[in-house]
Amino acid sequence: NKGVHRIRLFPKTGHLLLSGGLDGKCKVWSIAERQVMRTYEGHSAAVRDVQFNHDGTKFVSASFDRFLRLWDTESGKVLQTFANK
């Protein structure tokens, strides 16, 4: 229920939108249906940036919790976590 800090369009087609929220969640939205398709939870602070890879199968999120997380877009699983502590 907090604001969105960053949005990115799905590579090439732009039919999906990836958002990074101030609530620490990343979400993939259907632009055509105007609704959330999946929510990714794993950060304890606001997400400051998100970015898809070249084909949209993965994305990375950077958070104010000082972690980067690499996600599998389809399964929602965290593939890797990188720390800056």
Side-chain angles (χ1 to χ4, degrees), residues 74-85:
E74 185 69 27
S75 71
K77 293 182 180 178
V78 175
L79 302 174
Q80 283 186 280
T81 300
F82 307 90
N84 181 20
K85 291 189 176 185

Side-chain angles (χ1 to χ4, degrees), residues 6-72:
R6 180 75 65 206
I7 59 170
R8 303 285 184 187
L9 290 173
F10 194 83
K12 298 178 184 155
T13 62
H15 70 291
L16 299 175
L17 184 99
L18 174 63
S19 67
L22 298 174
D23 59 1
K25 297 175 185 174
C26 299
K27 297 180 180 184
V28 169
W29 302 76
S30 167
I31 291 177
E33 297 176 24
R34 296 184 178 188
Q35 66 181 2
V36 175
M37 297 181 65
R38 182 183 292 275
T39 300
Y40 306 82
E41 297 184 43
H43 288 292
S44 61
V47 176
R48 62 183 310 235
D49 203 0
V50 290
Q51 184 64 54
F52 281 112
N53 69 342
H54 70 287
D55 62 2
T57 57
K58 298 178 184 120
F59 71 90
V60 66
S61 60
S63 171
F64 287 105
D65 65 6
R66 300 176 72 184
F67 287 100
L68 294 170
R69 298 198 191 282
L70 179 64
W71 303 83
D72 180 284

